[in-house]
Amino acid sequence: MAAPSTTLLIIGASGDLTSRLLLPGIATLLAAEPDRRVEIVGADLRELGDAEWRSRVETAMAAGDPEGAAGKELLRTTRYVAGDATDGDTLRALIGSIACDRLVIYFALPPSVTARVCTALAEVGAPEGTILALEKPFGDSLESARELNALVTRIVPEEQVFRIDHFLGLYTVLNLIGLRFANRLLQPVWDRDSIERVEIFYDETVTLEGRGYYDTAGALRDMIQSHLLQIMAMIAMDPIRSIHERDLRDAIGAVLRSARVIDPAKDTRRGRYTAGSIAGRGVPDYVAEQGVQPERDTETLAQVQVEIANHRWAGVPFVLRSGKAMGAIRKQAIVHFTPPAHIPEGFGGRDSGDRLVIDFRPDGFELHLTTNGRGDPFTFEQTVLRGELGGGQLEPYGEVLASILDGDPRLAVRGDAAEECWRIVEPVLAAWAAGEVPLDEYPAGSSGPADWRTS
């Protein structure tokens, strides 16, 4: 019996996302799972010749095993169609030209264009079992997220909608769950009585680098509204019965519904990089970058303090920060434990508290514990215990694409969670638009404005 055939239809296939992430992700997936069969059909407004499209796919396949049977079959069958997918007749013809057991439509498009294509698709109709995969951001406001959710669920059921957050690769998700719930030392102290604060960082050395869309988004919308709030929810969620998608996504949703920024004017910061140097490379001022409109006051560094108003976490600040053009890459969560109520008299002071540092990509952890000082046992110092967490063979997009092709929604953001994330950040966006929070500056290649508190 032949294996079910799957076609991945990428709308927006001529763009950077497809060449840089989607196609290499498929390549690494096929190298790891050589028995998997998938056809790729690219579609976009731009005219691309057959040879140019195949060259792009072949270049991407080099990231995996281009000589393998799966890679060769993909290269043999792949094709590209030029056309306007927001036009109903064009979209109907495109979908009608595809014969497969399962169709996955991947929207490698800005949110506004995705909405227009979905409007056309709702009129045309999708084959039974079709999966829709949408890149973040999911809308650009709470209202637009609700409208988009209502639109896509007119086309297919919610369980066939995959809102993509590649930061939540399968191993990252499972490592967080395993570390939290499979360790007797951590599970009993994972609450407000033992944890003082939690910080989640996603600092990057990359700059604007031609991504003109970023100037209409900024760090808050681009990273905190999606990636970091999802990671926060997994760190803070209550114990779950299983790792099945319903249990996992219900627990994430419960945290997000309890989350809020109490005072956007006091509990948030924003900044923008100026000219500087990163790893010896000169970086121009953000406002001098091509496509930037300075009057937008777009932030390249954002920090918000979130409260989770439930019994487990009331009063514990969750600080979320993300920035571009930073001096070093920092992708981690830091759990700061509450100091002990009493230390016997006669010992020296503690320089810093105990903490658990969870690193993402590569996945690992550090446990910082207070111990007696070397050379003077009446003083304290920090001893660091390091460990590696399991990692997969696939890049994050490979893991995400595997879950989409398999119809496993555990890595997808559910519609209610996407709406809650917008609800959390909208008061912050309003305060920033009203000028209630100053736009600080920091040199590219630095750790941010000097007075920003970081661990």
Side-chain angles (χ1 to χ4, degrees):
M1 182 177 177
S5 59
T6 301
T7 295
L8 177 63
L9 169 59
I10 304 174
I11 300 179
S14 70
D16 176 68
L17 172 68
T18 299
S19 297
R20 187 169 55 89
L21 296 173
L22 290 182
L23 293 177
I26 285 289
T28 59
L29 175 59
L30 295 182
E33 302 178 16
D35 293 332
R36 186 185 288 271
R37 293 293 182 268
V38 59
E39 177 191 25
I40 294 181
V41 176
D44 211 338
L45 281 170
R46 182 180 174 187
E47 293 285 347
L48 280 184
D50 184 67
E52 183 177 354
W53 170 251
R54 288 180 179 277
S55 175
R56 291 189 180 197
V57 176
E58 189 171 9
T59 299
M61 287 299 108
D65 181 14
E67 299 303 318
K72 287 181 177 179
E73 179 66 13
L74 186 148
L75 287 171
R76 186 184 71 80
T77 60
T78 190
R79 58 192 175 92
Y80 180 87
V81 179
D84 182 3
T86 66
D87 176 73
D89 292 338
T90 302
L91 188 59
R92 183 181 291 106
L94 174 60
I95 293 175
S97 71
I98 297 172
C100 62
D101 298 310
R102 171 181 282 167
L103 174 62
V104 176
I105 303 178
Y106 200 110
F107 297 84
L109 299 166
S112 59
V113 183
T114 293
R116 294 203 297 272
V117 176
C118 285
T119 298
L121 187 58
E123 298 300 321
V124 169
E128 185 177 355
T130 295
I131 288 175
L132 306 183
L134 289 74
E135 275 286 331
K136 64 95 177 170
F138 318 118
D140 55 16
S141 65
L142 176 57
E143 180 182 3
S144 65
R146 285 173 174 164
E147 291 173 352
L148 185 57
N149 282 339
L151 177 58
V152 296
T153 51
R154 281 173 51 200
I155 304 168
V156 299
E158 169 64 33
E159 58 268 23
Q160 291 167 220
V161 180
F162 284 66
R163 298 168 188 83
I164 305 305
D165 186 343
H166 66 273
F167 193 37
L168 304 180
L170 180 62
Y171 272 89
T172 296
V173 171
L174 294 181
N175 283 336
L176 276 174
I177 295 172
L179 192 64
R180 275 203 54 192
F181 299 126
N183 286 284
R184 187 68 177 87
L185 290 175
L186 295 178
Q187 193 174 7
V189 299
W190 211 262
D191 57 30
R192 64 190 302 269
D193 294 327
S194 301
I195 292 177
E196 184 176 65
R197 74 182 188 279
V198 178
E199 297 173 311
I200 303 173
F201 296 96
Y202 199 95
D203 287 348
E204 303 176 281
T205 56
V206 297
T207 59
L208 191 61
E209 297 180 359
R211 291 185 287 263
Y213 80 92
Y214 187 86
D215 195 50
T216 64
L220 181 64
R221 288 186 177 92
D222 186 54
M223 290 299 302
I224 292 178
Q225 182 274 143
S226 53
H227 300 314
L228 300 195
L229 282 173
Q230 293 290 325
I231 289 292
M232 180 197 76
M234 285 195 293
I235 290 173
M237 68 184 182
D238 283 340
I240 53 178
R241 185 190 68 83
S242 73
I243 57 171
H244 294 154
E245 62 92 10
R246 177 67 182 272
D247 291 334
L248 178 59
R249 301 207 290 180
D250 280 354
I252 289 172
V255 173
L256 294 173
R257 286 191 296 275
S258 301
R260 61 176 180 163
V261 178
I262 297 176
D263 186 342
K266 294 180 179 178
D267 296 334
T268 69
R269 305 289 298 270
R270 59 180 181 142
R272 184 165 66 189
Y273 70 81
T274 57
S277 175
I278 301 175
R281 174 176 61 93
V283 176
D285 194 307
Y286 176 81
V287 298
E289 296 270 19
Q290 185 175 0
V292 168
Q293 297 183 26
E295 64 275 9
R296 283 186 175 139
D297 280 349
T298 300
E299 80 287 350
T300 59
L301 175 63
Q303 181 173 300
V304 302
Q305 181 173 304
V306 180
E307 180 195 56
I308 299 174
N310 60 24
H311 180 73
R312 181 182 291 270
W313 296 112
V316 176
F318 282 74
V319 179
L320 282 54
R321 163 179 149 157
S322 179
K324 289 191 180 297
M326 308 298 286
I329 296 173
R330 191 180 193 189
K331 303 175 182 180
Q332 59 186 199
I334 306 175
V335 178
H336 297 264
F337 293 102
T338 304
H342 173 72
I343 297 175
E345 293 182 7
F347 283 107
R350 292 155 56 95
D351 291 333
S352 58
D354 300 336
R355 61 194 183 276
L356 173 66
V357 180
I358 304 169
D359 286 309
F360 308 114
R361 302 292 175 186
D363 291 29
F365 72 93
E366 293 181 351
L367 185 59
H368 295 241
L369 294 176
T370 300
T371 58
N372 297 84
R374 286 166 290 185
D376 184 355
F378 294 101
T379 62
F380 289 124
E381 63 181 27
Q382 288 282 303
T383 296
V384 181
L385 309 177
R386 294 182 174 86
E388 295 182 0
L389 297 173
Q393 297 174 284
L394 305 178
E395 291 299 312
Y397 262 92
E399 293 179 350
V400 167
L401 286 164
S403 71
I404 295 171
L405 297 173
D406 292 337
D408 179 359
R410 278 180 293 189
L411 300 188
V413 176
R414 203 165 63 185
D416 60 325
E419 293 179 15
E420 291 297 334
C421 289
W422 279 114
R423 176 193 60 78
I424 293 165
V425 303
E426 279 207 335
V428 180
L429 291 168
W432 290 5
E436 297 175 16
V437 178
L439 182 64
D440 297 330
E441 293 184 339
Y442 63 98
S446 69
S447 59
D451 64 336
W452 285 33
R453 177 187 176 187
T454 60
S455 295

